[in-house]
Each structure stands twice: as structure tokens, then as C-alpha cells.
Amino acid sequence: MTTTLITGGTVVTATGRSRADVLIDGETIAAVLAPGSLLLGADLASGVDRVIDATGKYVIPGGIDAHTHMQLPFGGTAASDTFETGTRAAAWGGTTTIIDFAVQSYGQRVFDGLAAWHEKAAGNCAIDYGFHQIIGDLNADSLQAMDGLLAEGVSSFKLFMAYPGVFYSDDAQILKAMQKSAETGLMTMMHAENGPAIDVLVGQLLAEGKTDPYYHGVARAWQLEEEATHRAIMLANLTGAPLYVVHVSAKQAVAQLAAARDNGQNVFGETCPQYLYLSLEENLGAPGFEGAKWVCSTPLRSRAEGHQEHLWQSLRTNDLQLVSTDHCPFCMKGQKDLGLGDFSKIPNGIGSVEHRLDLLYQGVVTGRISLERWVEITSTTPARMFGLYGKKGVIQPGADADIVVYDPNGHTSIGYGTDEFGEPTGRSHHMNMDHSAWEGYEIDGHVDIVLSRGKVVIAENSYLGAKGDGRFVKRGLSQYLI
């Protein structure tokens, strides 16, 4: 087995930072040592296979993106990233584990859906991966199948209060599923929007000739996110189920989560980079059909209403616990353009799996979050929330050697580069997309080296990994409950 010593860097954890050297033996971390320690010999560097000089840089646990959708069928097409391309892009951005969503479609058995996702991912991933289970047809058979999810290493399931006729669960179904959640310890994940009400607004807007991407955000009003979030919280309160609300975008929905948490309820929320940076006015409201790049659900919110700054504040105060991407990429040509003339037919999703660590690090640079909080919300809390902590999300002996060397003095330009005349010079991201939702974003930091279970997969601006490096990771129950 290969031994590696990362020396000279500052190890950053969720609770602090310190100068330390990290010794890796094969796939796991063997020791975290004070600089110059003689504990393992006077000249440790000479006795290892590889030395990585991290002087002046941060050494952090690899990122965990707890919400991705590789190869997801949606709206008559499918997400453009495969497990191969999407996990490779994730590695470029310092993410070393994803948790994707296996889908049980209407009329399908739960374990058949899970098996289909295993088939898609097995042997194709650049980094480690796990699954949540989408329950798209909640019936007696599905409820019984949920008893066996934990044995498969799947400790969470997702329901939808949106998308009637596709994934939608009504209140009675949600109640039954949450009773099962309370009984088994599985985490209930919820897409919290009032789908039937949204469908009414969509129909009215289209009838008025309001067909541009901007109206996607108008139809999915914040009131419908707040209402659904409150309803999910109350059903969880009744049943005693732990509840995790995905892709929170509205400050009013955050207020519902915060109130429940203040009352001691096991309720949690994630947000995504798009809700921290992008907006209804500037992005969905871009000229012509350009706004389709940023159509996602929940939608981008109005900057004038202050949602973005409130979400940053909520990350500081732990009213929101972590940041995932909801990575669900679609190309403009042949996919997003299915919605030309009808915003309701634009496939919902943004590609961000490669950029999450960088975009959140820029929040450190601007003072919105601390360095430690950056590590906490991108790695440590996802690991604890979804039963991976100890193996993932931490730099300590016995943990998987998923490590990122991050250069705070480096620089990252996101999107498609342009020359001095404004002409495109080629793609600067690695996701399988024909555009970037983050075109022109500049980051005051850079992912220099990425190790996945001890193997260097990114170094010197090169991909050194291989298809199949990633393994399926079985997860336990949440380690974040109060």
C-alpha cells in the first residue's frame, strides 16, 4: 500500500484549525501529527512513498455533496451528466463523495428503482457515492419495502409535495411515510412546495401569454414554499419523524424551520449555491430565453426581498445546516429549449457539483462565513446528517483519506473563458453541459490537490483518477439528531 505524507499545511476542521502533518497509509488516515513531531521517527518524510507539500495551504476533508441527480429522467429528457462525467467534475471541485437519488417511479417497486441506480453507477464513478431513495409511488408495498432500506445502506428517503402526476405525495401518504420514518429511524427528506397550487398559477400565467423563464419563479411563489414547509414540519411533529427539507430558497421557509428547531424538533434544512448568489431579477429575468439556464425548483428568489442575504445569515446561525448543489444539469440546446414558448416545459435543474466548495469559500473571503464553518457545511455536517461521519467528513486516524489541499492564494475562474474581444475560448468547467450557470464568477481560492481514499485524483490541474475509482458507501442512521 502507498504511504503519503501531507506536510506544512493548516488542517481545518469544523471546530478549529492548526498546523499539522497528515500521514496516510493506503486508503485511510493513519496519523495527524504536530509539525516536527518525532513520534513516528526523526525523518518521517524519507520513509513514505509520496510527500505532498501543502505549505501556505489549507488541508480539509473532502467535500460531500448530499444532493445530486446524475442521469435523472425529467421532463422528457435526462440530466446531461452521467455518473462518470458528473463524479469526475465533482472531483475537480474537491468533492470526494456524492449522495445521489435512486428513483422509484410510479408503478415501480422500490427495490427495482434502487437496483436500476446501482446499475447506472457501478464501475462508473470517479469518487465514492451513496444513495437516498425517492419514493415516487407511496403505497402499501412501498411502505413495507422501506423496512429494508437501512440494510441496503440507504438511510433516507425523499418525498415530493410538488409535481402532481409525477412524484407527488398527498398529506395522507406523507403521514404514513413519516410514521415509518419514526419507526425505523430513516430520515424523511422533503421537496416542500405546494404542487397543486403551483399548477393553477402556471396555467393562469400561460393563459395570459406569460411564457418566459421569469414566470417559472412567479408561479412557484415563496408563499407556496413556506406553506409546504410548515405543513411538512407539522406532520413530522405529529409523527416524531426527523425531517430534512431540501433546497430551501425562501427566507420565510427558513423561519418555519428555525421556529421548529427552537422548539426542539429534529428538523433540518439545506440550501444550495444558486440560492445564495443568483436571483429572480438578474438570472431568471435575463433577456429572451437566456433565463432558462437558471430554471430550477425551488426557484431563484427576488434579491429585492432579501432572500440571499438571509440564507447566508441562516448558515452562520445554523438555522440551515449545510449546502448541497441539487446538481441536475441540462444543456440549453436540445434540453432547456424544450421550453421555448412555455416555461413549464423547461427541464428544472442547474449544474453546480464542480463549484460548491469554491463558491462557498468565496463566502469565507467576503466574511459571510468562517473558515471552519465552510468545512462544516460542505463536509462534516453532510457526513453526520447522513450517517457517514467517522469514515467521511473528518481528518482523523481511521477515516478515509478523502482530502483536499486548498490554496487560499490561488484563483479560479468559473464558466466559459473569453478572450480580449469577448469571444469564447473554450469550456473551463468539466461538467457535461453546453453552458455554465456560473459564467464569469471569480473565486479567490483554488482546489490544488484532491485525494480520494488516498489516491491523488486531481493535481497540477490534471485529472489523475479513473472510471471506477469510486465505490458505493453504505450509510448508517443520522448522527445529527438532537
Side-chain angles (χ1 to χ4, degrees), residues 251 278-282 301-309:
K251 63 182 182 181
L278 308 178
S279 75
L280 172 69
E281 299 94 338
E282 297 153 319
R301 298 296 178 193
S302 168
R303 194 174 302 281
E305 293 174 353
H307 297 279
Q308 293 79 5
E309 286 305 315

Side-chain angles (χ1 to χ4, degrees), residues 38-52:
L38 301 178
L39 185 64
L40 298 179
D43 189 10
L44 181 58
S46 67
V48 299
D49 299 308
R50 174 176 53 210
V51 175
I52 295 173

Side-chain angles (χ1 to χ4, degrees), residues 64 66 99 132 155-156 185-189 242-245 261 266-270 318 320-324 376 379-389 392 475-482:
I64 300 171
I99 311 179
H132 310 289
S155 57
S156 45
L186 298 174
M187 179 72 76
T188 300
M189 306 176 75
L243 172 66
Y244 178 96
V245 180
R261 288 176 56 76
N266 270 312
V267 171
F268 314 102
E270 73 172 20
N318 206 41
L320 293 172
Q321 286 68 53
L322 58 92
V323 177
S324 302
E376 188 173 13
S379 182
T380 304
T381 295
R384 293 180 62 201
M385 188 71 71
F386 294 111
L388 290 170
Y389 187 76
K392 308 289 186 183
R475 299 183 293 113
L477 295 177
S478 177
Q479 298 153 291
Y480 204 82
L481 303 187
I482 55 176

Side-chain angles (χ1 to χ4, degrees), residues 65-69 101 158 189 191 225 244-250 254 269-279 296-301 307-309 311-312 314-315 320-328 349-353 355-357 359-360 377-378 438:
D65 192 340
H67 188 156
T68 68
H69 296 286
F101 285 84
K158 183 181 180 183
M189 306 176 75
H191 179 131
E225 183 182 351
Y244 178 96
V245 180
V246 298
H247 50 53
V248 177
S249 64
V254 176
E270 73 172 20
T271 193
C272 307
Q274 53 265 36
Y275 307 123
L276 297 169
Y277 284 104
L278 308 178
S279 75
C296 59
S297 297
T298 53
L300 306 183
R301 298 296 178 193
H307 297 279
Q308 293 79 5
E309 286 305 315
L311 293 178
W312 279 111
S314 299
L315 288 173
L320 293 172
Q321 286 68 53
L322 58 92
V323 177
S324 302
T325 59
D326 191 10
H327 177 77
C328 194
I350 290 177
S352 300
V353 73
H355 305 312
R356 184 180 60 116
L357 255 63
L359 290 166
L360 270 293
I377 62 180
T378 59
W438 301 99

Side-chain angles (χ1 to χ4, degrees), residues 144-165:
Q144 184 176 4
M146 289 165 67
D147 288 327
L149 283 177
L150 186 59
E152 298 295 319
V154 177
S155 57
S156 45
F157 64 92
K158 183 181 180 183
L159 304 176
F160 289 79
M161 303 170 96
Y163 306 122

